[in-house]
Amino acid sequence: MIFERAPEWDALLDSAERFVAERYPAESHRARIETATPCDRQRWRDIVELGWTATDLPQARGGLGLRFSLLGAITAALGPGLIPEPWLTQAAIAGPLLAAAQGAGKAARERWLAGDLIVALAHHESTQAAYYATPVATTWARDGNDIVLNGTKTTVLDGAIADVVLISARALEPPHDVALVLVPLATPNLVLRPYRTFDGRTIADLDLRATRVRETSAWLEIPHAAALLDEALSRYALLVAAESVGIMRATLRMTIDYLGEREQFGQKLADFQVLQHRIVDLQLRLTRAESLLEAAFTLVDAVGFAGATHAIAAARIGAEDHGIFIAESAVQLHGGIGMTNDYRLAHFFKRLTANRCVAGVRAEHALRCSV
């Protein structure tokens, strides 16, 4: 997924693939997501200690200073693990926002880099709102040494397993700038309503009812916070596409293996020409999705997120369209077993379907492709 890469990148990608194979075996996935607390904190610390979450963060802020495309390749490698730990939100959103912050953000960043803090972004306020350039109705105001917040946030990804939520809020006083405020989940007058998605991820809605936090421990000094929020959302959209591509690869491998093992009329299913043609079609679909993703990451590395808007949108659409096609075809080729909860393919299908519903809808990305 990277045109040029240093030798040490291969070691990072190999470690990600081994980590998935050893720590996220297929037979344990259903049991993990059906528990009350699917996120394993020690496993999350192990992920952080491997350095993946800090891949492209600036070295001056505790990161490795590598290309964003490497983070995408690691995400694709981790995709087949369907990990319940909050990899995507932390690598795409929490890390870069904390890296840009001063004030309370510095202490939070140090805890986050050590794996002791999970941060969930609470930004969207309506399930019908646009993904990008979201209007912020939640308000903040100073009251002595405190910040007082009022508003509602919806579909906070990983909100139910986070330690703190990063609230986007608009000032009551002119010029009504958007700011980011760190709020612990245990804060009085913060009402959390957690729920699960159909693929097992944890989400929450929040109500802020005159929620009061100390300014010195909650205020993130981030210049141009609104622009950085949109960049973080672009990062998330592209990493969701990378995860989908990783799952698509695993889905295709599983399907090819299945056809090579099953027999009908005394022949392996893989020997039937019509099924061989179906597999070739799926391989072409995967290649198209990989190409769009590679182009987006290469452009981001070269010119940044602002100059790669159309490529990010195209990669996101490609991952959605080709991912669903591959998932549906794989289930059809497997037959009934393909949708049983004890079989890994069913969970690949759910995740690829659920990824259509996060990081913006297809129509919004299609408009960005045409800009």
Side-chain angles (χ1 to χ4, degrees):
M1 202 173 66
I2 304 164
F3 289 128
E4 296 180 4
R5 66 191 193 195
E8 59 267 23
W9 290 18
D10 289 322
L12 280 172
L13 297 180
D14 288 343
S15 68
E17 291 173 355
R18 288 198 306 272
F19 190 80
V20 167
E22 295 170 3
R23 305 294 292 275
Y24 297 95
E27 58 273 13
S28 68
H29 178 72
R30 180 181 179 184
R32 287 201 317 274
I33 64 172
E34 289 180 352
T35 61
T37 54
C39 175
D40 185 322
R41 283 304 184 108
Q42 184 53 55
R43 195 168 294 187
W44 174 245
R45 292 187 185 93
D46 293 341
I47 290 173
V48 173
E49 287 176 3
L50 286 165
W52 299 333
T53 51
T55 297
D56 72 320
L57 300 184
Q59 291 181 329
R61 299 300 174 93
L64 300 179
L66 299 172
R67 297 180 192 175
F68 181 67
S69 53
L70 176 58
L71 187 64
I74 292 172
T75 299
L78 294 176
L82 302 174
I83 64 176
E85 286 68 44
W87 162 255
L88 283 175
T89 55
Q90 302 308 292
I93 299 174
L97 290 178
L98 291 177
Q102 295 295 328
K106 185 176 180 181
R109 180 171 66 247
E110 292 174 354
R111 291 184 60 200
W112 182 85
L113 287 168
D116 296 330
L117 190 73
I118 293 176
V119 180
L121 175 66
H123 180 47
H124 293 93
E125 299 174 349
S126 167
T127 56
Q128 305 302 316
Y131 179 67
Y132 295 103
T134 305
V136 177
T138 299
T139 61
W140 69 269
R142 286 188 174 90
D143 183 12
N145 295 322
D146 293 344
I147 297 290
V148 181
L149 296 154
N150 284 281
T152 299
K153 298 293 186 179
T154 62
T155 57
V156 179
L157 295 166
D158 295 320
I161 61 175
D163 301 299
V164 297
V165 284
L166 190 55
I167 306 290
S168 62
R170 188 171 295 279
L172 276 175
E173 302 294 332
H176 307 296
D177 290 336
V178 172
L180 293 172
V181 184
L182 278 174
V183 182
L185 287 186
T187 302
N189 296 332
L190 172 63
V191 179
L192 177 78
R193 297 189 300 277
Y195 53 98
R196 295 280 189 91
T197 62
F198 63 84
D199 66 325
R201 278 183 278 200
T202 55
I203 289 184
D205 293 339
L206 302 176
D207 285 335
L208 301 153
R209 303 170 181 174
T211 305
R212 185 178 294 267
V213 289
R214 186 69 66 177
E215 181 175 357
T216 53
S217 61
W219 186 257
L220 263 64
E221 297 177 18
I222 300 181
H224 312 296
L228 279 176
L229 276 170
D230 266 14
E231 181 174 303
L233 295 176
S234 290
R235 289 171 59 95
Y236 184 74
L238 194 49
L239 289 187
V240 167
E243 179 189 71
S244 292
V245 166
I247 296 171
M248 289 155 62
R249 291 170 180 159
T251 298
L252 185 54
R253 284 196 300 269
M254 178 179 286
T255 304
I256 291 172
D257 290 344
Y258 179 83
L259 296 180
E261 294 169 359
R262 298 287 292 179
E263 292 187 2
Q264 191 172 29
F265 307 119
Q267 279 187 286
K268 299 287 187 183
L269 292 179
D271 293 335
F272 288 90
Q273 190 177 58
V274 66
L275 297 184
Q276 293 173 358
H277 290 171
R278 288 288 300 278
I279 291 298
V280 170
D281 188 25
L282 298 185
Q283 289 173 327
L284 288 173
R285 291 269 188 167
L286 174 59
T287 300
R288 290 170 188 152
E290 289 175 328
S291 298
L292 289 169
L293 191 64
E294 186 172 301
F297 276 110
T298 301
L299 195 57
V300 168
D301 284 346
V303 301
F305 287 91
T309 298
H310 60 290
I312 294 170
R316 173 69 175 74
I317 291 173
E320 175 179 331
D321 291 352
H322 298 308
I324 291 299
F325 186 90
I326 288 174
E328 290 177 346
S329 298
V331 169
Q332 184 182 40
L333 290 169
H334 275 79
I337 192 176
M339 285 305 293
T340 60
N341 260 341
D342 291 325
Y343 197 57
R344 191 65 173 269
L345 179 61
H347 298 283
F348 286 163
F349 183 94
K350 289 178 183 179
R351 178 58 63 91
L352 288 170
T353 303
N355 278 354
R356 301 173 65 184
C357 307
V358 299
V361 297
R362 190 185 192 284
E364 185 176 358
H365 289 289
L367 287 175
R368 290 170 74 88
C369 280
S370 61
V371 172

